[in-house]
Each structure stands twice: as C-alpha cells, then as structure tokens.
Amino acid sequence: MTRLDRYILAQLLWVFGFFSLVLVSVYWVNRAVRLFDQLISDGQPMSVFLEFTALSLPMLIRTVLPISAFVAATYVTYQLVRNSEIAVLQAAGISPFRIARPIVVFGLIVAAFLTVLMNFLIPEARAELSRRQSEVAQNLTAGLLQDGVFQHPADGITFFITEITPEGAMRGIYLSDARSQLQRIDYTARTALIVPEDTGPKLVMIDGQAQIHDRRTGRLSVTGFGDFTYDLSALAGPAGRGRSVQELPTTSLFSPSPALLAETGASAAQMRFELVSRFVDGFAAVAAALIGFGALMAGGFSRLGFWKEIVLAVVLMALVQTLNNALAGTAMRDPALSWLGVVPLLLAVATALGLVGWSTRKRRVRA
C-alpha cells in the first residue's frame, strides 16, 4: 500500500472504531435495560444478567459493523472533499477509482471480521444463550418458592404462598390466571408441590377449588378438586426445544440431515439461505463503504454543503436493505433460489461503482 492508501485507511479505521464503540454501547444499553428488568424482577442474580448481556454482544456487533462502515466511509470522504484533498488528488492525475482502493481494503477488513463473527462466534453465542435461557426458565422453584410475597412470573399470572414447610411443601396457595380475554381462573389450594417432568414443571395443588369468571356473561363458577395439576411450562418456556437454524455451526448447513431438519423445524431452502447469508452478508460492509464513498464523490465539491449527497447515500442503503428483505422470503422458499441473497450485494456494489464512474465523467466534462 502506498502512503496515500495508508493515510485514508488510517482515518477510516479510526472513525470506524469510534462509531462502532458508540453504536454498540447504545444498542447494548438498550438491550441491557430490558434484560435487567426481566431477569432481576424474576429473582435472578446479577451474574446471570452479566452473562446474558455478554452472550448477546456478538449479535449486536454483527448488526452495528455494516452501519459503522457506512458512516466511516461517508464521514472520511466528506472530510476529504470538504478540505479539498480530493480536488488536489484529482488535479495530480489520481482517478476516483484509484482513491477508492483504500475504501475497498477497509471494507474487506470489516467483511473478514464479520465473516468470522457469523460463522464461528454468533452460532456459539446463540446456542449458549438459548441453553442458559432454558435453564433459567426451567428453574422456577427458586423463583416461586417465596412465601408471603405476591409474584407475577408472567403477564396475567399472580402467585402467592402463605407458608413453605421445611420439607418443601407449600401451604395456602393462591394462583390467578387472567391471560385469557374470555375468562379468569383463580385457584386456591390447601397444599401444593412443584413436580419437574420432561415436558416441563407442573404445579400439583391438593384440596382446593377453582373459581372461573366468564368475562362475557359475568357468571362465576366454582369447582372443587381433590388434586389438580397446573402446567407451568407455558411460564418456563418449552422444554426440550430444538436448536434454531442460527444456532447451527456452518459445517452442518452444507448437507443437513433429515434429523437436523426435524429438530430445527426449518426447510432445506432456509438452511441453504442461512449458509449463503453467512458468507455474503459480511461483504455488505464493502458495499456500504463504497456507497458512502461513491455518493460523496458523485456530488463533487460544493460551497452549499453536501447534504444532498449524504441523503442519497442513506436512501441507497435503505433501498438495498429493502431489496434484501424482499428477496429473502423468496429465497427461503426454494433451495435453488438461494443465490438471490447475492443480488442486493451485487447491485449495491454496481451502483457504488456507477457513482464513482459518474464522478470521473463529470471531471472530464469540466476539463
């Protein structure tokens, strides 16, 4: 690399690192607040909160890096144009395509990091996060075994225990289930036990009654029972849930077995599209950087500002993302159409190169 390339690349990396840190912090704080409210209110220790937020970081970084690459390329190009550095380089006979070389190198560096993230770190983080979420959700005993406290393990659920014996039996149970829009059921029981099963934990209530209030008619029905089993798996999450496609290692996506398809509940087309995305989406950073650079270069120097060029770059990025979302649904319906995942990337790069070519043509016309 020449001194010019190193000069532009150093500015790109510095701005990219700054904006990545800021955006990741903003996304992380937003997610951490929701996680804190959810986990701490369920009685989980601070260590679980820190573990969950750490496991979610790879997914946040994957979302932020293409945006940071776009912002860095746009900002650095804006500074180069505003300070007339681009004009000096072009006056020295350096074409816009030559100036774009460090932009491409910068995009490839970010793409390499994204590829490692999506093929190694993110699947492992998703799998571990899913496993820990399942463990925390299944461990309802620690959360529910609190006497003298009204608890709300889920929306519409209220649970109260009068006393817990040294043997672990619960006395004086009140359970209100108001999740349905049609009726509300209030259970009361003399004693109860939480019994773990393969399908999820069960609350076995003994010697009690159920009061069913019909919201439509206002009628109240009372039913007594000797013992009644209430399924807690709806509160704890499904037990034995299979892995999702995003949790699978990349090697498993090349030739998924029928057992793997049954476990994930995904089709062969979805597996193929996920495989293509893990290698193609990383290069979105190259396209984003080139679009930011090309839009500023196409506008040239102007004393009236560069807001039109910046708006153009943002609109182009939005159109690329919209096209990517539109083609994803089609690609996931047929394995033979998985190549559609490459189309938005190619169109973005072609558009960026077209903008750079337009800036070259404008310079020749002026000359």
Side-chain angles (χ1 to χ4, degrees), residues 117-130:
L117 261 179
M118 290 186 291
N119 287 276
F120 298 100
L121 297 181
I122 290 181
E124 290 292 334
R126 283 186 180 273
E128 181 64 19
L129 181 61
S130 177

Side-chain angles (χ1 to χ4, degrees), residues 90 95-100 290-291 293-295 297-298 349-362:
Q90 290 181 324
S95 70
F97 285 103
R98 172 62 184 82
I99 302 174
L290 283 175
I291 286 177
F293 172 77
M297 290 296 296
V349 173
T351 302
L353 294 179
L355 290 173
V356 176
W358 173 257
S359 68
T360 305
R361 179 178 177 274
K362 286 179 60 179

Side-chain angles (χ1 to χ4, degrees), residues 127-280:
E128 181 64 19
L129 181 61
S130 177
R131 185 186 67 82
R132 292 291 294 123
Q133 285 176 337
S134 179
E135 290 179 356
V136 170
Q138 291 296 327
N139 188 19
L140 284 180
T141 303
L144 292 179
L145 292 182
Q146 301 181 34
D147 54 356
V149 178
F150 282 96
Q151 302 174 72
H152 306 278
D155 291 338
I157 299 292
T158 302
F159 188 64
F160 180 82
I161 306 171
T162 303
E163 179 188 2
I164 301 176
T165 65
E167 293 78 16
M170 297 175 283
R171 299 186 184 278
I173 306 303
Y174 171 75
L175 173 62
S176 176
D177 189 344
R179 291 175 296 176
S180 174
Q181 297 294 329
L182 303 179
Q183 64 181 12
R184 169 178 172 172
I185 306 177
D186 294 333
Y187 300 96
T188 56
R190 188 180 301 274
T191 59
L193 296 170
I194 293 181
V195 180
E197 292 187 2
D198 294 337
T199 57
K202 302 292 189 295
L203 176 66
V204 180
M205 293 179 282
I206 303 171
D207 190 13
Q209 65 178 11
Q211 302 178 17
I212 305 173
H213 176 246
D214 193 320
R215 298 180 186 270
R216 295 169 297 179
T217 63
R219 178 176 300 177
L220 179 65
S221 304
V222 180
T223 303
F225 56 82
D227 60 83
F228 181 81
T229 301
Y230 185 84
D231 189 3
L232 295 176
S233 61
L235 310 181
R241 183 190 66 84
R243 293 176 295 175
S244 66
V245 178
Q246 291 77 18
E247 297 171 21
L248 298 177
T250 303
T251 53
S252 301
L253 298 175
F254 283 98
S255 56
S257 62
L260 190 60
L261 293 174
E263 178 188 357
T264 59
S267 62
Q270 291 173 319
M271 292 279 192
R272 182 66 60 84
F273 182 77
E274 176 68 20
L275 176 63
V276 172
S277 298
R278 291 189 182 185
F279 290 96
V280 171

Side-chain angles (χ1 to χ4, degrees), residues 2-5 7-8 11 80-81 83-96 98-100 102 293 297 363:
T2 63
R3 180 176 298 179
L4 171 63
D5 296 330
Y7 170 71
I8 297 177
Q11 294 189 60
L80 293 175
V81 173
N83 297 331
S84 300
E85 294 178 79
I86 294 292
V88 172
L89 293 174
Q90 290 181 324
I94 301 177
S95 70
R98 172 62 184 82
I99 302 174
F293 172 77
M297 290 296 296
R363 178 174 177 270

